[in-house]
Amino acid sequence: MNIDQINVEEQIGPVGKVLKESYGNRSVLIHCLQMIQAEEGYLIGDSLSKLSKKLGVPLSEIYSVASFYKQFNFKPRGKKVVRVCLGTACYVRGSEKVLSILEEEFGIKDGETTEDLHVTLETVGCVGCCGLAPVATINDVVVGELVLKKVGKLIKSIKEE
Amino acid sequence: MGRINSLEELKNLRIRLKENIFKTDRKRVRVCCGTACSAQGSKKIVQTFEEESAQKGMDIEVLMTGCQGLCQKGPVMKVEPYGYFYQKVTYEKVREIISKTFSREAPVRSLLYRESVLDDPIKKMDDLPFYKKQVRIVLRNNGFIDPCNVNHYIAVGGYAAMEKVLSTMTPDQVLEEVKRSNLRGRGGAGFPAGRKWEHCKKSTGKIKFVIANGDEGDPGAFMDRSIMEGDPHSLIEGMLICAYTLNAEYGFIYVRHEYPLAVKNLRIAIKQAEELGLLGEDILRTGMNFYLDIREGAGAFVCGESTALVASIEGNRGFPRPRPPRLSEVGGGLWGYPSNLNNIETYACLPPIIENGAEWFRSIGTENSPGTKVFALTGKVVNTGLIEVPMGITLKEIIYDIGGGIRNNRKFKAVQTGGPSGGCLSEEHLDLPVDYDSLINVGSMMGSGGLVVMDEDNCMVDIAKFFLSFTQRESCGKCPPCRIGTYQMLEILEKITSGNGEEGDIEQLEKIGNLVKSGSLCGLGQTAPNPVLSTIKYFRDEYEEHIKDKYCKAKVCKGLGVYRIDGSECFSCSLCKKACAFDAVNETKDAFYIDRDYCTKCKACYLACPIGAVKIGSRVIPWVIPEQCEGCSDCVHACPVHGLKMYETENEGIFIPWLSDPDLCVSCGKCSAVCSSSGVVLTTHVQEAKQRFLTKRPKGLVIEDEKKKSGYIESGSKNNATESDSVVLIDSDK
Ligand SMILES: Cc1cc2nc3c(=O)[nH]c(=O)nc-3n(C[C@H](O)[C@H](O)[C@H](O)COP(=O)(O)O)c2cc1C
Ligand code: SF4
Ligand code: SF4
Ligand code: FES
Ligand code: FES
């Protein structure tokens, strides 16, 4: 991602007018990290160094912030990111079983990526579709009511290109 | 659309829109496009509707609304002007809806809601039991308007409260009204919003912030999401009213990144409001400025805590910090400026309060908790979804009248309120009126509004473990009691649920739990032990069963219980045998059985059996009834672990079987199965039986020749060597 293209002022918004520059730059840090990750899939060290120069925030602090939040990854992820919801509603309706079936099917554990970079398996604490529990998402598309029959279908659709 | 240049213009616009939008005689479908319904294909339905009606030359307005509440029966829609409510709609049904309903005004019967197959279908939305007891104030527009169309919001009376505030009220008057309404924060703790605003208003300084907390991290909750997605302008209007009161110029909505649709709809709404001059500089030419922006979270539950949220907006790690200074004070808020933080739902309550007055609001709900509360009703109820009910309604009404009772006719066991900070309530609380104080009194809390219903298939120890593992994972790690204490508690719970629980574990959990509560800085640590403590309080017998009897009656916990295959049900499909990774399932000529020496209680066979012939039983132990025993010693020979031995009783020449070491017993039940005279029966009262075996043991032990020959005596005598002197070996050789 071209870090130079990020328009810091635009990202801060109107409040930028009343903030010290250092405050303002820092306040867009998380948003910039999100943009980098959205484009590149994960946080590449190279982009982070550029971002550090651009915002004037030390690289060590960027890592400190990025590693605090669950959203950020430092390793490449699969083409299909499958998130199984382990929120309360899904849990009481048996989503743990869905997770274990998927783990077995793809031979990876929660948080891991297959070697061919096709699938990343993650868990999430509620995607807000509890009415359809148990729920999983594939690249942010929600698949609900995962009874065992549907898990088979889910696996098939994950395996598709 | 052009900018609105005065309050007068806004009023005229509203009148104009009211006349033109939502005409009551118009042919219209309101299709739910909330997250759950979209996941079930509502977008395709909308598309098909548009295509089909164009093809037929019919003028049908297709409206995409936010969540209508009954997510589980989605996609749902309302068909007007007939008022029919359709559920589980598929795009294939669209043609039928057009031909039947729109051409002939008849309902499509297959799409109507039915309580059960035998009941008559219900045609109208308001007649559905799910909606009957609801009072929709915050969700008044959800499911009614298109959230991406500001005109819809204005047409149903939107921005009228703001108009009233700007034209007829001083900031002090607004504050007074909010204080009088006794609106309490909907984000969890229930702190009165008016008092919070007052603090912030008193703080000096030109720059102030108004922040909306849309982090909604509680697993199993989606109230705020539905508001942000389905009616974003009511949140914006609420924030504007707050900004006017506090004289704040800047605002932020902090949304968790897992809610992409909420972010999208909010962005659209903000843009529209800016274009109309309802946000930004010189609002409606009244001189008021308010700039609103969105900040996305990055996946940390603790960032819902107010000080951590502020740190996160500033671009730091989301660590909570001690208060004071409070957010509302100089030096305490965002970048040090005084800030007011409220929950999404709290803000969304404000426009109706201002419009209808504080008295009206106080007439709903209870004395100390006026108004309504939105709950996400989930778990094992028939109808899950988003509901809004007046405070003071009982749990029973929510679960049985609105939720339709427990699924599959199972039995109610518990309801969890307040998410990971709340507690589990049992049957005895079903008649409890729900409000902030009543829930605190019974050791739970309102929280943000998750209600998870559990039935007998849920294990309370496992649920406690689930919540604790959530908070343990999400602890930011700043306070040792929170970081280490939750970890230790989790270890004990792991131990209990895997069958290694010990006497004293419950007390240990309580002790650490109370330490964590008192020694933590922020709400996360202070409430993390609640699910454990409340389940111990109300379901202690389940903990004891896990620890003492090694049995989980919900059959959830692996590593507990005794596995066996019921021969009368088993039809020899051998799936259990394939499933077992430990070769514990064996096959004889005509039956399958589980060898307990190899069984690891992994539950694989139980889950594999298609007809449920694998049973997980509670721990049983033999109980000897001397009066019935005929002294045949068949049981002694049947015992696979050679635990039973014959003892001579006080009556010389009379022998009965006895367990020399009760811990040897593997609960196989063979002893009682071979006994022809009910001299040995099985009991689940393992503790009592063990105690009896140890303390009431007959004096003389008989070891028979036969056993000696087959080498059994070794194992037997080893045990005997440690036994008390009172046991006299009577060897027949002697
Ligand atoms: C760990 C933790 C998580 C929280 N998460 C949320 C949340 O997701 N949404 C929310 O509105 N409040 C949350 N709160 C409560 C907020 O700290 C704060 O009390 C609330 O947003 C204030 O708004 P209210 O007075 O309108 O309820 C959380 C508190 C803690 C301690
Ligand atoms: S109580 Fe827990 S989450 Fe809260 S600040 Fe302390 S360590 Fe962090
Ligand atoms: S519980 Fe597991 S180890 Fe025991 S018999 Fe069943 S599959 Fe085998
Ligand atoms: S708990 Fe899974 S979607 Fe809410
Ligand atoms: S999303 Fe459609 S009813 Fe909730």
Side-chain angles (χ1 to χ4, degrees):
Chain A
M1 171 169 189
N2 193 345
I3 304 292
D4 294 331
Q5 269 173 6
I6 298 178
N7 182 342
V8 175
E9 229 148 79
E10 193 185 293
Q11 301 300 339
I12 303 174
V15 73
K17 281 188 302 214
V18 295
L19 292 185
K20 279 188 240 155
E21 195 189 344
S22 62
Y23 279 172
N25 282 356
R26 180 132 204 165
S27 80
V28 296
L29 173 60
I30 292 175
H31 186 65
C32 292
L33 294 175
Q34 283 167 335
M35 290 202 298
I36 295 175
Q37 177 153 311
E39 191 145 311
E40 288 163 359
Y42 68 107
L43 300 180
I44 302 175
D46 199 30
S47 303
L48 294 187
S49 330
K50 282 189 194 142
L51 188 68
S52 156
K53 282 207 196 78
K54 169 125 189 159
L55 300 180
V57 177
L59 190 59
S60 61
E61 284 193 30
I62 291 187
Y63 273 105
S64 144
V65 170
S67 59
F68 180 84
Y69 295 97
K70 273 201 303 289
Q71 188 192 355
F72 300 120
N73 304 293
F74 299 99
K75 276 196 221 137
R77 294 201 304 162
K79 213 159 79 196
K80 302 228 162 143
V81 181
V82 181
R83 294 202 179 95
V84 180
C85 177
L86 282 189
T88 325
C90 292
Y91 185 80
V92 300
R93 288 227 202 132
S95 62
E96 227 189 1
K97 210 164 127 196
V98 176
L99 177 67
S100 66
I101 292 174
L102 292 180
E103 281 183 341
E104 200 164 305
E105 180 67 36
F106 296 105
I108 44 174
K109 289 246 166 281
D110 166 22
E112 293 175 354
T113 304
T114 51
E115 260 172 38
D116 60 357
L117 292 185
H118 188 65
V119 185
T120 297
L121 203 55
E122 288 180 351
T123 58
V124 52
C126 190
V127 289
C129 288
C130 317
L132 300 180
V135 168
T137 64
I138 310 177
N139 292 351
D140 288 337
V141 178
V142 180
V143 192
E145 301 202 304
L146 283 171
V147 286
L148 285 185
K149 249 187 273 160
K150 255 181 136 181
V151 177
K153 265 203 214 151
L154 176 79
I155 291 174
K156 234 194 239 154
S157 73
I158 296 172
K159 282 187 177 163
E160 274 166 19
E161 273 309 301
Chain B
M1 193 187 293
R3 202 186 143 100
I4 309 172
N5 285 315
S6 69
L7 292 162
E8 191 64 29
E9 268 184 48
L10 175 62
K11 192 185 266 165
N12 292 338
L13 175 68
R14 184 174 312 109
I15 295 171
R16 224 174 40 243
L17 290 174
K18 255 188 188 153
E19 276 167 13
N20 295 321
I21 299 183
F22 302 139
K23 282 198 189 121
T24 45
D25 52 354
R26 177 109 207 251
K27 289 197 170 99
R28 181 186 298 124
V29 277
R30 296 185 203 262
V31 185
C32 176
C33 290
T35 311
C37 287
S38 296
Q40 308 264 75
S42 57
K43 294 277 155 61
K44 179 107 198 235
I45 295 172
V46 170
Q47 196 194 341
T48 320
F49 249 114
E50 279 164 351
E51 285 165 11
E52 290 274 326
S53 60
Q55 209 181 16
K56 295 231 163 54
M58 269 186 155
D59 182 24
I60 299 173
E61 186 185 0
V62 186
L63 252 171
M64 300 201 270
T65 76
C67 174
Q68 307 192 352
L70 196 53
C71 309
Q72 198 206 339
K73 295 273 189 289
V76 301
M77 61 165 70
K78 273 175 289 188
V79 185
E80 294 167 5
Y82 324 103
Y84 299 140
F85 179 76
Y86 291 157
Q87 42 111 43
K88 297 242 171 220
V89 184
T90 57
Y91 73 93
E92 289 105 334
K93 288 275 182 187
V94 169
R95 196 167 283 181
E96 196 180 342
I97 298 175
I98 292 184
S99 68
K100 270 204 184 132
T101 311
F102 284 115
S103 305
R104 287 187 272 127
E105 305 197 0
V108 180
R109 288 182 76 85
S110 61
L111 294 178
L112 293 174
Y113 175 88
R114 283 168 201 264
E115 279 283 272
S116 75
V117 255
L118 299 175
D119 285 315
D120 282 336
I122 302 171
K123 289 188 197 135
K124 305 262 164 89
M125 182 172 184
D126 292 337
D127 295 334
L128 255 61
F130 182 77
Y131 291 104
K132 247 189 204 160
K133 288 213 168 165
Q134 293 196 40
V135 175
R136 288 166 94 86
I137 294 174
V138 174
L139 299 178
R140 63 196 180 282
N141 299 325
N142 254 51
F144 194 74
I145 62 170
D146 179 350
C148 298
N149 189 336
V150 63
N151 286 345
H152 282 191
Y153 183 69
I154 297 177
V156 293
Y159 291 108
M162 176 164 105
E163 193 185 300
K164 178 172 175 185
V165 162
L166 286 176
S167 56
T168 62
M169 294 170 93
T170 64
D172 287 318
Q173 281 171 331
V174 183
L175 179 65
E176 209 39 51
E177 191 75 14
V178 174
K179 268 168 72 183
R180 265 198 305 134
S181 75
N182 196 12
L183 169 66
R184 296 176 67 172
R186 301 300 198 232
F191 190 81
R195 284 212 345 246
K196 200 187 262 184
W197 290 18
E198 196 169 29
H199 287 145
C200 189
K201 196 168 161 55
K202 277 196 192 131
S203 299
T204 50
K206 274 212 316 287
I207 300 168
K208 281 182 190 167
F209 288 94
V210 170
I211 310 169
N213 186 346
D215 195 44
E216 195 160 60
D218 283 14
F222 52 99
M223 298 78 48
D224 296 344
R225 159 186 216 154
S226 302
I227 298 168
M228 292 186 281
E229 285 177 6
D231 194 12
H233 284 285
S234 71
L235 166 66
I236 296 177
E237 191 178 356
M239 292 182 79
L240 273 163
I241 293 169
C242 179
Y244 174 75
T245 314
L246 306 180
N247 196 15
E249 263 194 36
Y250 299 95
F252 286 105
I253 306 173
Y254 187 84
V255 191
R256 69 196 293 239
H257 80 103
E258 284 95 336
Y259 287 178
L261 185 61
V263 174
K264 181 175 149 246
N265 286 4
L266 280 170
R267 282 203 202 284
I268 294 174
I270 291 177
K271 190 147 176 290
Q272 288 174 338
E274 277 170 355
E275 277 168 14
L276 285 178
L278 294 163
L279 270 181
E281 205 172 318
D282 197 7
I283 292 171
L284 298 172
R285 305 281 177 235
T286 57
M288 172 181 172
N289 301 332
F290 186 60
Y291 305 95
L292 187 58
D293 219 334
I294 295 175
R295 289 289 185 263
E296 279 181 70
F301 174 66
V302 75
C303 286
E305 200 276 341
S306 44
T307 55
L309 186 144
V310 164
S312 176
I313 295 184
E314 287 170 357
N316 296 313
R317 301 184 123 210
F319 280 135
R321 60 155 179 78
R323 282 169 292 181
R326 285 197 216 132
L327 249 52
S328 52
E329 288 163 346
V330 178
L334 198 49
W335 295 294
Y337 299 113
S339 308
N340 179 69
L341 176 84
N342 274 122
N343 168 258
I344 301 285
E345 196 185 330
T346 317
Y347 284 117
C349 282
L350 287 163
I353 292 178
I354 296 296
E355 246 183 293
N356 305 317
E359 272 63 45
W360 164 82
F361 190 70
R362 292 187 68 132
S363 71
I364 305 161
T366 61
E367 173 75 27
N368 290 320
S369 309
T372 56
K373 178 79 192 82
V374 183
F375 288 105
L377 180 63
T378 56
K380 301 284 184 66
V381 280
V382 177
N383 296 322
T384 61
L386 193 71
I387 61 169
E388 182 173 355
V389 288
M391 300 267 192
I393 192 171
T394 65
L395 285 169
K396 198 185 228 150
E397 284 173 283
I398 295 182
I399 296 169
Y400 287 93
D401 297 345
I402 297 175
I406 310 296
R407 290 182 161 213
N408 304 330
N409 285 322
R410 309 288 296 175
K411 205 168 152 290
F412 169 85
K413 188 190 252 181
V415 54
Q416 212 277 347
T417 72
S421 335
C424 284
L425 303 178
S426 66
E427 203 166 357
E428 64 183 284
H429 301 110
L430 277 178
D431 287 315
L432 188 80
V434 179
D435 70 20
Y436 288 102
D437 311 308
S438 66
L439 287 176
I440 296 274
N441 284 343
V442 293
S444 182
M445 63 186 275
M446 183 77 94
S448 52
L451 274 182
V452 189
V453 180
M454 286 168 258
D455 68 8
E456 43 195 338
D457 292 337
N458 293 115
C459 166
M460 299 321 286
V461 187
D462 180 64
I463 291 292
K465 189 177 87 179
F466 164 76
F467 279 113
L468 196 73
S469 65
F470 178 81
T471 32
Q472 191 267 330
R473 236 185 1 252
E474 295 291 343
S475 164
C476 78
K478 191 167 175 167
C479 324
C482 172
R483 182 182 67 232
I484 303 167
T486 51
Y487 181 78
Q488 283 182 328
M489 288 174 78
L490 193 60
E491 277 203 324
I492 298 177
L493 286 173
E494 289 284 357
K495 202 173 98 187
I496 296 177
T497 51
S498 60
N500 301 316
E502 294 169 286
E503 198 87 21
D505 278 350
I506 301 181
E507 290 70 25
Q508 191 74 8
L509 279 173
E510 287 175 321
K511 195 170 136 205
I512 304 176
N514 288 323
L515 277 175
V516 172
K517 277 177 86 141
S518 55
S520 296
L521 170 66
C522 87
L524 192 151
Q526 283 161 5
T527 58
N530 282 356
V532 181
L533 297 178
S534 71
T535 44
I536 291 182
K537 191 162 162 200
Y538 299 121
F539 300 93
R540 198 182 177 103
D541 52 330
E542 265 185 54
Y543 279 84
E544 279 171 355
E545 202 169 48
H546 279 72
I547 295 171
K548 292 194 182 137
D549 303 343
K550 309 283 180 241
Y551 181 52
C552 168
K553 69 174 169 232
K555 307 193 180 26
V556 171
C557 300
K558 291 174 187 169
L560 291 172
V562 175
Y563 287 67
R564 96 194 145 76
I565 294 167
D566 187 331
S568 62
E569 288 178 29
C570 173
F571 66 112
S572 303
C573 68
S574 81
L575 286 175
C576 54
K577 191 170 162 64
K578 286 202 193 94
C580 182
F582 305 93
D583 280 338
V585 182
N586 291 330
E587 197 175 355
T588 63
K589 200 160 81 251
D590 51 0
F592 285 86
Y593 70 93
I594 292 173
D595 187 337
R596 300 215 172 85
D597 285 345
Y598 289 94
C599 174
T600 60
K601 306 180 181 184
C602 70
K603 262 179 99 175
C605 54
Y606 177 79
L607 296 173
C609 182
I611 55 162
V614 178
K615 308 284 182 200
I616 308 176
S618 67
R619 175 95 204 269
V620 288
I621 197 164
W623 184 274
V624 180
I625 309 174
E627 297 78 31
Q628 302 275 351
C629 176
E630 291 173 348
C632 70
S633 80
D634 280 352
C635 54
V636 171
H637 299 301
C639 180
V641 292
H642 321 306
L644 283 170
K645 298 191 181 73
M646 294 304 282
Y647 283 78
E648 185 169 28
T649 61
E650 269 136 35
N651 307 329
E652 219 172 292
I654 307 279
F655 298 94
I656 58 164
W658 207 256
L659 265 178
S660 52
D661 178 1
D663 285 331
L664 283 178
C665 176
V666 291
S667 305
C668 70
K670 288 190 179 132
C671 47
S672 118
V674 296
C675 181
S676 53
S677 64
S678 329
V680 186
V681 293
L682 297 176
T683 172
T684 51
H685 297 285
V686 178
Q687 289 311 311
E688 286 91 331
K690 274 188 178 176
Q691 210 56 34
R692 176 169 176 255
F693 278 127
L694 288 174
T695 54
K696 302 244 167 81
R697 185 193 288 128
K699 290 250 154 34
L701 173 61
V702 181
I703 294 175
E704 290 155 59
D705 279 342
E706 216 183 312
K707 283 171 82 186
K708 194 172 150 194
K709 268 182 237 140
S710 55
Y712 289 165
I713 194 162
E714 267 94 33
S715 62
S717 60
K718 227 182 275 159
N719 279 326
N720 293 337
T722 58
E723 273 170 10
S724 66
D725 300 337
S726 64
V727 178
V728 187
L729 277 174
I730 310 178
D731 202 318
S732 36
D733 278 349
K734 254 188 220 163

mmCIF file of all heavy atoms in Angstrom, chain B residues 46-58:
data_model
loop_
_atom_site.group_PDB
_atom_site.id
_atom_site.type_symbol
_atom_site.label_atom_id
_atom_site.label_comp_id
_atom_site.label_asym_id
_atom_site.label_seq_id
_atom_site.Cartn_x
_atom_site.Cartn_y
_atom_site.Cartn_z
ATOM 1 N N VAL B 46 -35.380 -8.449 -2.384
ATOM 2 C CA VAL B 46 -35.622 -7.069 -2.806
ATOM 3 C C VAL B 46 -35.450 -6.945 -4.308
ATOM 4 O O VAL B 46 -36.295 -6.389 -5.023
ATOM 5 C CB VAL B 46 -34.653 -6.115 -2.067
ATOM 6 C CG1 VAL B 46 -34.711 -4.729 -2.665
ATOM 7 C CG2 VAL B 46 -34.978 -6.078 -0.590
ATOM 8 N N GLN B 47 -34.358 -7.514 -4.784
ATOM 9 C CA GLN B 47 -34.051 -7.446 -6.210
ATOM 10 C C GLN B 47 -35.164 -8.100 -7.029
ATOM 11 O O GLN B 47 -35.640 -7.534 -8.017
ATOM 12 C CB GLN B 47 -32.719 -8.172 -6.416
ATOM 13 C CG GLN B 47 -32.057 -7.898 -7.723
ATOM 14 C CD GLN B 47 -30.948 -8.905 -7.953
ATOM 15 O OE1 GLN B 47 -30.458 -9.550 -7.028
ATOM 16 N NE2 GLN B 47 -30.561 -9.068 -9.203
ATOM 17 N N THR B 48 -35.592 -9.288 -6.607
ATOM 18 C CA THR B 48 -36.634 -9.998 -7.340
ATOM 19 C C THR B 48 -37.931 -9.195 -7.341
ATOM 20 O O THR B 48 -38.633 -9.140 -8.348
ATOM 21 C CB THR B 48 -36.893 -11.381 -6.712
ATOM 22 O OG1 THR B 48 -35.644 -11.938 -6.328
ATOM 23 C CG2 THR B 48 -37.579 -12.306 -7.686
ATOM 24 N N PHE B 49 -38.222 -8.590 -6.202
ATOM 25 C CA PHE B 49 -39.432 -7.776 -6.119
ATOM 26 C C PHE B 49 -39.401 -6.654 -7.146
ATOM 27 O O PHE B 49 -40.387 -6.403 -7.851
ATOM 28 C CB PHE B 49 -39.578 -7.163 -4.721
ATOM 29 C CG PHE B 49 -40.701 -7.736 -3.939
ATOM 30 C CD1 PHE B 49 -40.463 -8.471 -2.789
ATOM 31 C CD2 PHE B 49 -42.011 -7.569 -4.344
ATOM 32 C CE1 PHE B 49 -41.490 -9.029 -2.069
ATOM 33 C CE2 PHE B 49 -43.050 -8.118 -3.631
ATOM 34 C CZ PHE B 49 -42.791 -8.849 -2.474
ATOM 35 N N GLU B 50 -38.260 -5.990 -7.203
ATOM 36 C CA GLU B 50 -38.166 -4.867 -8.126
ATOM 37 C C GLU B 50 -38.329 -5.331 -9.563
ATOM 38 O O GLU B 50 -39.054 -4.737 -10.348
ATOM 39 C CB GLU B 50 -36.834 -4.132 -7.916
ATOM 40 C CG GLU B 50 -36.946 -3.184 -6.723
ATOM 41 C CD GLU B 50 -35.603 -2.703 -6.203
ATOM 42 O OE1 GLU B 50 -34.553 -3.228 -6.656
ATOM 43 O OE2 GLU B 50 -35.603 -1.812 -5.331
ATOM 44 N N GLU B 51 -37.664 -6.442 -9.885
ATOM 45 C CA GLU B 51 -37.752 -6.951 -11.256
ATOM 46 C C GLU B 51 -39.172 -7.377 -11.605
ATOM 47 O O GLU B 51 -39.729 -6.984 -12.622
ATOM 48 C CB GLU B 51 -36.810 -8.157 -11.425
ATOM 49 C CG GLU B 51 -35.349 -7.752 -11.522
ATOM 50 C CD GLU B 51 -34.438 -8.946 -11.321
ATOM 51 O OE1 GLU B 51 -34.946 -10.102 -11.327
ATOM 52 O OE2 GLU B 51 -33.238 -8.736 -11.147
ATOM 53 N N GLU B 52 -39.744 -8.186 -10.716
ATOM 54 C CA GLU B 52 -41.062 -8.760 -11.011
ATOM 55 C C GLU B 52 -42.139 -7.680 -11.116
ATOM 56 O O GLU B 52 -43.002 -7.743 -11.983
ATOM 57 C CB GLU B 52 -41.456 -9.763 -9.921
ATOM 58 C CG GLU B 52 -40.627 -11.035 -9.943
ATOM 59 C CD GLU B 52 -41.188 -12.068 -10.912
ATOM 60 O OE1 GLU B 52 -42.414 -12.127 -11.061
ATOM 61 O OE2 GLU B 52 -40.379 -12.793 -11.510
ATOM 62 N N SER B 53 -42.094 -6.713 -10.182
ATOM 63 C CA SER B 53 -43.153 -5.703 -10.214
ATOM 64 C C SER B 53 -43.001 -4.816 -11.446
ATOM 65 O O SER B 53 -43.985 -4.401 -12.047
ATOM 66 C CB SER B 53 -43.155 -4.891 -8.927
ATOM 67 O OG SER B 53 -41.925 -4.249 -8.760
ATOM 68 N N ALA B 54 -41.757 -4.572 -11.864
ATOM 69 C CA ALA B 54 -41.549 -3.779 -13.078
ATOM 70 C C ALA B 54 -42.098 -4.540 -14.275
ATOM 71 O O ALA B 54 -42.767 -3.976 -15.153
ATOM 72 C CB ALA B 54 -40.065 -3.487 -13.265
ATOM 73 N N GLN B 55 -41.831 -5.836 -14.277
ATOM 74 C CA GLN B 55 -42.276 -6.670 -15.384
ATOM 75 C C GLN B 55 -43.807 -6.668 -15.495
ATOM 76 O O GLN B 55 -44.368 -6.609 -16.573
ATOM 77 C CB GLN B 55 -41.777 -8.084 -15.135
ATOM 78 C CG GLN B 55 -41.534 -8.856 -16.394
ATOM 79 C CD GLN B 55 -41.056 -10.250 -16.056
ATOM 80 O OE1 GLN B 55 -41.194 -10.713 -14.926
ATOM 81 N NE2 GLN B 55 -40.516 -10.925 -17.019
ATOM 82 N N LYS B 56 -44.443 -6.720 -14.338
ATOM 83 C CA LYS B 56 -45.900 -6.777 -14.333
ATOM 84 C C LYS B 56 -46.520 -5.386 -14.416
ATOM 85 O O LYS B 56 -47.744 -5.256 -14.379
ATOM 86 C CB LYS B 56 -46.392 -7.444 -13.034
ATOM 87 C CG LYS B 56 -45.988 -8.886 -12.910
ATOM 88 C CD LYS B 56 -47.188 -9.745 -12.574
ATOM 89 C CE LYS B 56 -46.919 -11.212 -12.835
ATOM 90 N NZ LYS B 56 -45.723 -11.743 -12.171
ATOM 91 N N GLY B 57 -45.668 -4.391 -14.448
ATOM 92 C CA GLY B 57 -46.171 -3.030 -14.517
ATOM 93 C C GLY B 57 -46.907 -2.608 -13.255
ATOM 94 O O GLY B 57 -47.842 -1.820 -13.284
ATOM 95 N N MET B 58 -46.488 -3.166 -12.133
ATOM 96 C CA MET B 58 -47.171 -2.837 -10.880
ATOM 97 C C MET B 58 -46.355 -1.818 -10.113
ATOM 98 O O MET B 58 -45.142 -1.865 -10.099
ATOM 99 C CB MET B 58 -47.301 -4.081 -10.027
ATOM 100 C CG MET B 58 -48.576 -4.825 -10.264
ATOM 101 S SD MET B 58 -48.599 -6.103 -9.053
ATOM 102 C CE MET B 58 -50.297 -6.405 -8.916
#
